Amino acid sequence: MNRRSVTDPRSEKSGTTTGRRDTGRRGAAGPRDTGRRATTRRRRDRPNYAAGLGVLLWLCLVALPLYVMLGASVQSRAQYGAGGPLSFPEAFSLTNYVQDFSNGFGRYFLNTMVVTASVVAIVLILVPPLAFAIVRNRGRATSRVFRLFLLGLAIPAQAVIVPMFYVISNAGLYDNLIGVILPTAAFSLPVCALILTGTMRDITDELFEAMALDGASTRRVFFQLVVPLSRSGLATVVVFSALQAWNGFLFPLVLTQSEETKVLTLGLYNFQTQYGIDIPGLLAAVVLSTLPVLLVYLFARRALVQGLMGVGGK
């Protein structure tokens, strides 16, 4: 009994002391964590002046060329020469735009639209089935063909422009828009196939197996499963091929000659040589030629980024 009476108080005291120590430790750890969290929140809430200054400088770098281009396009030649490129227009005039259309800009614009729409159509007809076959057929032969197909990425257009000229001339397509459409689409196919292949590889095998269990044919799997799930990649392909065709200069320069087959890039080149130092007229043509590209980018930039993120996936 005496041993128990002696032992029990000690154990109770020791337990009480330990409990107090643990309580003290826990109580001491709480304020520290709270202080750290408060410090982290203060750092997050603190404005980043360096980042704001960098964004402001970048905005100025981007906005200044746009201001110069738009401001000069609505000024007269005399006003632009007197005030300089940074002068604010005193009187807005659309004379430069009207003069551009009277000098054949409308025909150049229409030819460029035809080339761009045709290139996009060819890419959309050929690339999706090609990418689907590459993704679903995992044999060695398909892999080798795909690698050989991607060698087109390493071949610049300048290296094959002379053989291309002889091929187009012997085919009777010289000075014809078809002679510009075909090589432009051919050089867009490797990149578009790479982008769309990366997008289709993100589709899981379980979805293909479920369609196969339902008895779906290959055509049905392609149109009802693959195409809807590859919309971001398709949008990227459309934007990329359209930009390649719209901004093309080398093929139209070498493979066309007459005024009836010239596109916008050659039209701008002619405006520069024709006007000489008439910078407002030239910049008005530049504004008209960049508007469609700018609109396409504004509406499709999200799909373009999502499609490029799928490149080099699985």
Side-chain angles (χ1 to χ4, degrees), residues 132-263:
F132 177 67
I134 293 171
V135 171
R136 297 305 299 165
N137 190 354
R138 300 177 181 177
R140 294 183 179 179
T142 304
S143 178
R144 291 175 182 175
V145 171
F146 182 53
R147 293 176 182 177
L148 181 63
F149 187 77
L150 292 181
L151 286 178
L153 297 173
I155 301 176
Q158 294 81 358
V160 296
I161 190 61
V162 176
M164 187 69 65
F165 172 78
Y166 283 105
V167 170
I168 295 298
S169 299
N170 293 330
L173 299 176
Y174 179 75
D175 201 17
N176 194 323
L177 291 181
I178 300 178
V180 179
I181 293 170
L182 293 180
T184 304
F187 275 86
S188 300
L189 289 178
V191 178
C192 294
L194 179 63
I195 294 173
L196 202 55
T197 302
T199 302
M200 290 184 180
R201 282 175 179 168
D202 292 335
I203 303 175
T204 59
D205 294 334
E206 288 77 8
L207 296 176
F208 289 103
E209 293 175 359
M211 293 288 290
L213 291 176
D214 291 339
S217 61
T218 305
R219 180 179 298 178
R220 182 181 173 186
V221 171
F222 176 74
F223 285 104
Q224 295 186 2
L225 176 66
V226 176
V227 173
L229 295 180
S230 303
R231 286 179 294 181
S232 62
L234 290 173
T236 306
V237 165
V238 169
V239 174
F240 176 80
S241 58
L243 292 179
Q244 288 291 106
W246 190 272
N247 297 324
F249 179 76
L250 182 61
F251 289 139
L253 176 65
V254 177
L255 302 178
T256 59
Q257 183 178 4
S258 62
E259 291 291 329
E260 289 74 15
T261 58
K262 287 187 176 180
V263 295

Side-chain angles (χ1 to χ4, degrees), residues 53-67:
L53 181 61
V55 171
L56 183 61
L57 292 176
W58 178 254
L59 180 62
C60 293
L61 291 175
V62 174
L64 183 61
L66 294 178
Y67 167 75

Side-chain angles (χ1 to χ4, degrees), residues 1-312:
M1 295 295 294
N2 293 332
R3 291 180 179 176
R4 291 181 180 177
S5 61
V6 173
T7 305
D8 292 340
R10 290 180 179 178
S11 63
E12 291 178 0
K13 290 181 180 179
S14 62
T16 304
T17 304
T18 305
R20 289 179 180 176
R21 291 178 180 176
D22 294 339
T23 305
R25 290 177 181 176
R26 292 177 182 176
R32 291 179 181 176
D33 294 338
T34 305
R36 291 176 182 175
R37 293 176 182 176
T39 305
T40 304
R41 290 178 181 176
R42 291 176 185 175
R43 291 178 180 176
R44 292 178 180 177
D45 297 337
R46 186 182 304 173
N48 192 344
Y49 296 103
L53 181 61
V55 171
L56 183 61
L57 292 176
W58 178 254
L59 180 62
C60 293
L61 291 175
V62 174
L64 183 61
L66 294 178
Y67 167 75
V68 172
M69 183 173 62
L70 292 175
S73 64
V74 295
Q75 298 183 40
S76 63
R77 183 175 177 179
Q79 183 181 354
Y80 180 84
L86 298 179
S87 62
F88 188 79
E90 298 178 357
F92 293 87
S93 176
L94 299 178
T95 305
N96 295 318
Y97 295 95
V98 176
Q99 187 177 3
D100 288 343
F101 277 99
S102 63
N103 288 324
F105 185 85
R107 181 174 61 251
Y108 303 151
F109 190 89
L110 181 60
N111 291 338
T112 307
M113 289 291 295
V114 172
V115 172
T116 303
S118 302
V119 170
V120 172
I122 292 174
V123 169
L124 288 179
I125 292 174
L126 297 180
V127 173
L130 175 64
F132 177 67
I134 293 171
V135 171
R136 297 305 299 165
N137 190 354
R138 300 177 181 177
R140 294 183 179 179
T142 304
S143 178
R144 291 175 182 175
V145 171
F146 182 53
R147 293 176 182 177
L148 181 63
F149 187 77
L150 292 181
L151 286 178
L153 297 173
I155 301 176
Q158 294 81 358
V160 296
I161 190 61
V162 176
M164 187 69 65
F165 172 78
Y166 283 105
V167 170
I168 295 298
S169 299
N170 293 330
L173 299 176
Y174 179 75
D175 201 17
N176 194 323
L177 291 181
I178 300 178
V180 179
I181 293 170
L182 293 180
T184 304
F187 275 86
S188 300
L189 289 178
V191 178
C192 294
L194 179 63
I195 294 173
L196 202 55
T197 302
T199 302
M200 290 184 180
R201 282 175 179 168
D202 292 335
I203 303 175
T204 59
D205 294 334
E206 288 77 8
L207 296 176
F208 289 103
E209 293 175 359
M211 293 288 290
L213 291 176
D214 291 339
S217 61
T218 305
R219 180 179 298 178
R220 182 181 173 186
V221 171
F222 176 74
F223 285 104
Q224 295 186 2
L225 176 66
V226 176
V227 173
L229 295 180
S230 303
R231 286 179 294 181
S232 62
L234 290 173
T236 306
V237 165
V238 169
V239 174
F240 176 80
S241 58
L243 292 179
Q244 288 291 106
W246 190 272
N247 297 324
F249 179 76
L250 182 61
F251 289 139
L253 176 65
V254 177
L255 302 178
T256 59
Q257 183 178 4
S258 62
E259 291 291 329
E260 289 74 15
T261 58
K262 287 187 176 180
V263 295
L264 278 178
T265 51
L266 295 181
L268 294 176
Y269 183 76
N270 291 340
F271 280 131
Q272 183 178 2
T273 56
Q274 179 180 355
Y275 289 138
I277 58 174
D278 188 6
I279 300 177
L282 175 61
L283 292 182
V286 173
V287 171
L288 292 174
S289 62
T290 55
L291 278 178
V293 178
L294 182 61
L295 292 176
V296 169
Y297 176 75
L298 288 177
F299 287 103
R301 64 185 186 278
R302 183 174 300 177
L304 181 63
V305 173
Q306 291 178 356
L308 289 176
M309 289 175 63
V311 179

